[in-house]
Amino acid sequence: MTSKKTAPVKKTVPDPRKSASVKKSASAEQKPPKDRPAKPGRKPAAARKKQPVSPALSAEDRARLLDGTHHDPHTVLGAHAVPGGVAFRAFRPYARSVTVVSGDLRAELHDDGAGFFSGLLPLREVPEYRLLVAYEGEVQETEDAYRFVPTLGELDLHLIGEGRHERLWEALGAHPTTHQGVPGTRFAVWAPDARGVRLAGGFNFWDGTGYPMRSLGSSGVWELFVPGIGEGELYKFDITRPDGSHTLRADPLARRTETPPATSSVVTASHHEWGDAEWLAHRADIPVHEAPFSVYEVHLASWRPGLTYRQLADQLPRYVGDLGFTHVEFMPVAEHPFGGSWGYQVTGFYAPTARLGTPDDFKYLIDALHRAGIGVIMDWVPAHFPRDEWALAEFDGRPLYEHQDPLRAAHPDWGTLEFDLGRREVRNFLVANAVYWCEEFHIDGLRVDAVASMLYLDYSREPGQWIPNEQGGRENLDAVAFLQEMNATVYRLCPGVVTIAEESTSWDGVTRPTHHRGPSGFGGLGFGLKWNMGWMNDSLEYLRHEPVHRAYHHHEMTFSMVYAYSENYVLPLSHDEVVHGKHSLVSKMPGDWWQRRATLRAYLGFMWAHPGKQLLFMGQEFAQGAEWSEAHGPDWWLLDPAYGAEADHRGVRDLVRDLNSVYRRTPALWQRDTDPSGFQWVVGDAAEDDVLAFLRLDAEGNPLLAVSNFSPVVRHDYRLGVPDDIPAWSEVLNTDAAHYGGGDIVHPHPVKTEPQGWHGRAASVRLTLPPLATVWLRPA
């Protein structure tokens, strides 16, 4: 009930300035004097007046509040106009007394036992009031949380019910705010199967008994505004399950959490002032598939172990900017309880991990990268979530975020649970989450993890462990609809943002617009880019072989061009390729240390020239020999000159810097990544030579010639067919250069085009191909 301001309340008890205890639960009935009979035809006074009500709670309401099963505590607690005046009721466990204070009025409520207090004051309307609550050794003056109207409106509840609240984080969760002129925090949580929900936190000694929340109808949302609660307070929701048992849960939409292993949610508000307006204004100028896009993948907690978000903001932009990458990609930063999961088992989908700082600290890091001209991609994990009993699993006592069907709920590979993507509220939770990171944290792209595991009902399942869809197929139609909705929503609301699928199958149309149907009958999934797992697997398999055997595996380096334009691709050399016994990139290569480094340099040169965008995991840019460990991160000491790093590790890092530099200045290498006219084979069948050569062309037809020699021998006067309208070619990059640690077989002068036809072209050039090296040339 909304309270109204009134004139100062006049005396309603003998001395309002003294604490007047309301001793009776109802006013005495006024009766006519016994010596004066009632007039004929006149009703008794008791019939003319409404009988005053008892302010005390009924036994049923008391029991429901004590059990945590009351759906609408605001109707029975607080102040309510009733016959005979205004009834005040408070539920304050452990309190010695509760006194209503309104202007000059001080009225101590009757102690009804078990933490309940009540009183009936002869007032005409509900006044503005506060409560004085006396505990042993302490008296608190506070607003009454049960005098406030709901903080969520009908539109919010309607959109939540329909699963279309695109800014769900602004409706649910904890938000410091001023409500009805009073500062406090509003709490809201979706728990449709709960018999009751209470709020527990540090402010009530983790006993939610006296803080029941109200159910907002059929929406399944429970809400409570708590005056006087502000930023930094810890809280959880005490949920009464359908069987009557209780579970204490973190807020699914908490925007800040405690540092693991602690699991509480934290009330927070952002105070960061962004300085990246120029970046945001121009990030959509060029579509990402037509722009330079080279990505440095980072695990923030181990890049430089011990650094906070703000300390990373001082070092990471400088390092990445020096190497020339256009973007960084953060492995998942959403809160996760187990650091060894690298962030891929998320419990706090709306909270950056507290291990490195606050949400505003994380914004500071992104802001610093943007001001340095570096975009930010974030790994996003909607495929599954862990079973921790304080998080999302059976959140309100029954499967809620996970699928009701056990065959659909359990992820077979990771011991986690899969989201019920057919439930509109769950889809809303995830779609809004994607928008949240882009809007609130200015993220420039979402790399969606494990898309393949979402798309197929039989993913990692044996016959009998899955049920076909309504069409009899193995496609997860709910996941298809969800991914289409997520991509369409992000692209509509967040201009310049790109979504990237980690998808390892031949699903048709991953990067096709959602409204375009393909041969499979499904619309496109709507991603902007897709990881080319086939290119990664094939090329690494080719390079694992000794050079003498590579002739028999030559197709593994050329097959990618058969399907290169079926999707918009990223070429990923990610963290997954340098862990769990797979060895680091340089350690995958055969031969001695020199040959391994040379092969890695040649491979990186081939990769940067190949159609598609590039992604390289941290530590691989300087040929780290050991696998990545999240415990200690990259082996930075390898770059120390005292260890001879100039020729070994710093040389590879310098190559990566130059690859990015030439790449960004050469539109032929990125402008037509998704257009077949931007690529021409020069020679793709020289298997016996272990040589691949091709042309990349920009929109005006300007070429770059890339030649890779994956054999350990020098190939002199190696003739290659080239366009006859270019008189000479200059070498712009050679991975065998001495300053990269190579043998320095280079072309210091332009190479003239000769009129001798070769490889089906009217002209040709003769090159000296260094061993295990890639050479780039462009018109002199």
Side-chain angles (χ1 to χ4, degrees), residues 293-317:
F293 189 89
S294 62
V295 183
Y296 183 64
E297 188 187 21
V298 177
H299 180 254
L300 284 175
S302 68
W303 183 71
R304 301 264 181 162
L307 296 188
T308 65
Y309 290 129
R310 289 186 178 265
Q311 291 167 334
L312 284 162
D314 292 334
Q315 298 187 30
L316 187 61

Side-chain angles (χ1 to χ4, degrees), residues 504-534:
S504 55
T505 74
S506 58
W507 184 279
D508 178 58
V510 173
T511 58
R512 190 167 57 235
T514 57
H515 58 280
H516 288 174
R517 292 194 174 273
S520 64
F522 297 106
L525 296 184
F527 285 94
L529 298 169
K530 170 183 171 175
W531 274 21
N532 193 335
M533 310 296 282

Side-chain angles (χ1 to χ4, degrees), residues 77-144:
L77 299 177
H80 302 273
V82 297
V86 174
F88 291 84
R89 306 184 189 100
F91 182 30
R92 296 284 173 157
Y94 313 113
R96 295 295 184 87
S97 67
V98 176
T99 301
V100 173
V101 178
S102 178
D104 292 335
L105 170 66
R106 295 169 65 91
E108 183 178 336
L109 302 183
H110 182 262
D111 186 347
D112 298 329
F116 294 96
F117 299 83
S118 67
L120 179 64
L121 302 184
L123 304 174
R124 293 185 177 181
E125 57 185 2
V126 176
E128 295 279 355
Y129 72 95
R130 293 172 66 83
L131 299 176
L132 283 179
V133 185
Y135 297 96
E136 184 176 357
E138 181 183 12
V139 177
Q140 297 177 355
E141 182 173 355
T142 180
E143 297 281 353
D144 185 357

